[in-house]
Amino acid sequence: MFMVSHLIVYDEFKEILSKQNRSPEDIADIERAFEYANKLHEGQYRISEEPYIIHPIEVAKILLDLKMDKSTIISAFLHDILEDTDTKPEDLAKEFGEDVLKLVQGVTKLGKLHFQSKEERQAENFRRMLVAMAQDIRIIFLKLADRLHNMRTLNYMAQNKQKKTAQETLDIFAPLANRLGIGKIKAELEDLALRYINPEKYYEIARKIAQTKAQRDQAIASLIEEVKIILKHNSIEAKIYGRAKHYYSIYNKMNRLNITFDQLYDTSAIRVLVDEEKDCYGVLGLIHAKFKPIPGRFKDYIAMPKSNGYRSLHTTVIGPKNKPFEIQIRTKEMHEVAEYGIAAHWKYKESGSVKSNTETDAQFSWMKKLVELDKDSSDSKEFLENVKLDIFSDQVFAFSPRGDVIDLPAGSSPVDFAYRIHTEIGHKTVGALVNGRIVTLDTKLKNGDIVEILTSKQPMPKIDWLNFVKTKSAASKIRLWFKKNKREDNLDIGKMQLEAALSKSVFDDLYKTGEFERVSKEMNYKSAEDLFAALGYGETTLHKITNKLKRPTFQPMEMEETHHEVKRKKVSKKDDIIGLEGMLWNLAKCCCPIPGEPIVGVVTRSKGVTVHRLNCKCLFDIEPERMMDIKWANTISSSIYSAHLRIECQDRVGLLKDIIGKISDTDTNILYTSTYVKNKKFGIVDVGIELNNIDVLQKVILNIQSLQDVYSVRRLEQRGMSSKHSHKKNNRQNKNHEKY
C-alpha cells in the first residue's frame, strides 16, 4: 500500500493526464509504468526522507506539462531503474519496448565504469548525454525535467554539493533549456541556481521585489487598463497581463551594468497576446502613439527571431506616472514557443528525431555540431569545455552574402565564420570582407555583419590563427591540417625550438638517453618524433615539454660566457616574453613590437626566434609552420623599447615645440625628430620615442591628437619606412582570389 504522500502526488499527476487528449491505451501504458517503477523503488528513500518514487512522479509531471509523448512519460517513471535497481536492459525493453530503453539509457549515469576522478566521470556523463541528444532530443527533455526537480529539492543536500550542482545547472542545463527555447524551465533553473550560488543576492532581490510589489502591481494594473481601452477602441482582441522578471535576469543585469536594484527601472513588464502576426505590429503602433517609447529599447524578434525560435516584439515606453515599462507583444502561438520551446509545436516522429523542416533545421542545427565537437575532442573534459564555448556562450549572428545566418560565439573572427561554413573554405581562407570592407582576419564580428570570405585555390591555413580563433572546432581543424600535411616540416620546427631552448648538446644528450621518448609517452604521444611534430604545429608548448624533462639535465650549460649566451642575455629583455624562456630571440626591426600588443615568434635558422607584431606585413610570406605562439608577460616591463610615429599636421610656427611638449607630458624619452613640408600648409613630423609598454604609446598618441592642428598620428613599421611598397605587394597577392 502506498503512503499518503505517494497517492497525493500521483493523483495530481493523473488529474493533469486526464485533461490531455491521450488515448485510453496510452494512459494504461503510462499507469503500468508507474506501477512497475513503484515496485522496483519500494524501500528506497531520498535524502529528504521521502519515498524515492515521488521523484519519478514529479519528473513525469514536468514532462506532462510540456505535453511530451507517451514513451518520454513512461521513461520519466523508469529513468533511474537501470542505475538504482538490478533491472537489466533486456527486461526493460521486453516490458516497454526498445524506444523506452533508448531514452532511459540516454540519461543513465556511467555508474559501473571506472574513472580516475569524479570530474572525469561527470564530464563523460555530459558527453554521452549531449551526443545522445543529437540523435534523440527527447533525452534532453528527460534530463532537464530530472534536473529541475532535483534543483527544487536541493535544500536537503550538503552545502558544498548544493553549490556544485547549482553551478553545473547554470553552466550546462539552463543554457540547454535556452537553446531549446524552453523559457519556462530556463528561468526556474537560473533562479534556483542563483539561490545556492549567491544566496545573499538572491534573498536581497527577493526581499526588494516583495517590498515594491504593491506599488508595482498598482502601476501594472493602471498600464494594462489603458492598453485595454486603446485596443478595444480599435477592435483588437488581446489577452494582457503583467509579469515580474525572474531573479537571475535582474541579478545578471545589475552585474552587467554595475548598478543597484534601486537603479533598475524595468523589473516588471506587461505582455500582450494577440491572434495574428499583423496585429502585433498594429498593437505596437497604437502603444507608441499613446506612450512615449524610449529610444534604442525596441527589438523586433518577429522579423529576426532568436536562434532558438523565440519570436516577439519588445519595446520600453514611459507609462503612467512617468514609470518606464517593458511591453512584449506576440501571438498566442509565439507565446507557446517562448514558454515551451520546440515542445510547443511537436515535430517529432515516434523515434524522437526532428522532422525534416527548413525552419527547424536552421533553428536546431547546433545539435549536429555536438557530434562534430565529440569527434574533434580528445577527451570528455575537452568536449565539455568546447560545448560551453561553442554552443552555450553568448552568440553573434552574422550573414553570408547569400543571406544565410551563421551563429558563432561572441568574439569570433572571419576565420571562425569560414570554418563554420565548411572545413575546406576555412583552410583556403586568405582574406575577408565585412559589410563590403576588407578587414584583418582577427577582426571580431558583430551581430548583423555580412561576411564574405576570400579564398585561394589551394589550402593555406596559418598557424597563428590559433591565437585568435574563438571556436574550438576551428582550432581543432587548423591543428589537424598541420598535423596531416606538414609532419616533416613540423618535426624539424619542433626540434629546432627544443635545440634553441636547451642548446644543441643538451638536446642530443636527452635524445640519446631516451628522455624525450619517456616524456612523449607521458604526454600520450607514440614517439619522440610525434612529440616534436606536435610542438611544431602548436598542439603542445615548449613550457609543457621542458617542465616534464628531468632536472637538472635540461638546465642551460654552466656559466661559460659564450658569444651566444651574451647575446641571449642582451636581447632577452628580462624574460618579458612567455614562451621563449631560455631561448635565443630578438625583436623584429620591421615592426618594433612593444609589451602589451599581440605578438608572434618566427623561428630562424641562425638567429633563434624573431618576435613580430601579429599584424606585421612581413609575416605575409612566412611559412605558418615557422610561427610560434608567444605572448608578453603580464608584469610591466622595466626594459626600454622604441616606437616610431608619423604626425600629419597643418604647418605653423611652434607646432614642433607643442608636439614635443605633449610627448614630454607623458615622461617619455624622445630619440629623434625629423620634419618636412609637403606644400605650404601641410607638414609631416616623424618622431622616435622610448617606452616600456603599449599603454604609454597609446597615451602619447592621444596627447598628440589633442592638438588642434594635428590631422593624424600613426605608427610606422620602422623609422622612415613608407607603407606604399607593402600595399602594392598585398594588392598583387590579393588579385585573382576566389570569392565565397
Side-chain angles (χ1 to χ4, degrees), residues 652-682:
R652 66 166 170 82
V653 176
L655 180 60
L656 180 59
K657 178 185 174 183
D658 292 345
I659 291 172
I660 292 172
K662 287 292 184 181
I663 296 173
S664 299
D665 288 345
T666 64
D667 294 325
T668 301
N669 185 47
I670 299 174
L671 292 173
Y672 68 87
T673 63
S674 62
T675 64
Y676 61 95
V677 180
K678 290 185 70 173
N679 55 49
K680 291 182 179 180
K681 292 185 179 181
F682 186 77

Side-chain angles (χ1 to χ4, degrees), residues 10-214:
Y10 187 63
D11 284 347
E12 290 173 356
F13 171 84
K14 287 181 69 176
E15 187 178 347
I16 299 170
L17 183 63
S18 65
K19 292 177 181 177
Q20 296 186 356
N21 187 24
R22 296 181 186 265
S23 68
E25 293 80 8
D26 284 358
I27 292 174
D29 287 341
I30 290 170
E31 292 188 343
R32 184 166 61 87
F34 165 72
E35 299 284 353
Y36 189 83
N38 183 65
K39 183 178 180 181
L40 288 170
H41 286 302
E42 190 174 359
Q44 294 180 352
Y45 294 87
R46 305 189 85 208
I47 295 176
S48 62
E49 298 183 358
E50 290 178 331
Y52 194 89
I53 190 61
I54 289 180
H55 171 63
I57 297 172
E58 292 288 354
V59 172
K61 279 171 63 179
I62 293 168
L63 292 168
L64 267 187
D65 189 41
L66 293 174
K67 299 180 176 62
M68 300 300 292
D69 68 330
K70 179 184 76 173
S71 292
T72 312
I73 305 298
I74 289 174
S75 300
F77 285 117
L78 308 174
H79 74 274
D80 281 331
I81 65 168
L82 292 183
E83 184 181 357
D84 295 340
T85 73
D86 295 329
T87 307
K88 295 179 181 179
E90 51 269 29
D91 294 337
L92 187 61
K94 184 178 178 181
E95 283 289 333
F96 298 100
E98 292 292 337
D99 192 36
V100 169
L101 175 63
K102 180 179 69 173
L103 294 175
V104 172
Q105 286 180 327
V107 294
T108 298
K109 295 176 184 174
L110 309 178
K112 299 178 182 179
L113 298 183
H114 175 70
F115 294 97
Q116 293 181 354
S117 66
K118 289 182 180 178
E119 290 76 15
E120 186 181 343
R121 177 188 297 276
Q122 190 68 326
E124 179 61 13
N125 283 334
F126 285 129
R127 186 199 67 79
R128 270 189 49 164
M129 179 191 72
L130 292 170
V131 173
M133 185 193 80
Q135 272 77 46
D136 193 329
I137 201 172
R138 294 174 297 172
I139 290 170
I140 202 58
F141 283 110
L142 260 171
K143 193 62 185 174
L144 283 172
D146 179 44
R147 176 53 60 110
L148 180 57
H149 184 250
N150 284 335
M151 289 297 294
R152 287 172 178 174
T153 56
L154 197 58
N155 57 304
Y156 295 104
M157 305 294 289
Q159 191 172 6
N160 63 330
K161 178 74 172 175
Q162 288 175 347
K163 286 200 171 184
K164 183 182 176 185
T165 304
Q167 191 62 56
E168 202 175 76
T169 299
L170 210 53
D171 289 343
I172 300 292
F173 293 100
L176 261 177
N178 181 52
R179 270 297 201 158
L180 292 169
I182 316 172
K184 192 173 182 180
I185 288 181
K186 168 188 173 281
E188 188 175 353
L189 286 175
E190 287 178 339
D191 282 355
L192 289 168
L194 178 62
R195 177 180 170 185
Y196 296 102
I197 291 172
N198 195 337
E200 290 182 8
K201 279 291 180 186
Y202 175 87
Y203 287 111
E204 177 192 340
I205 292 169
R207 186 175 63 255
K208 291 193 173 182
I209 284 179
Q211 288 170 352
T212 59
K213 185 177 187 302

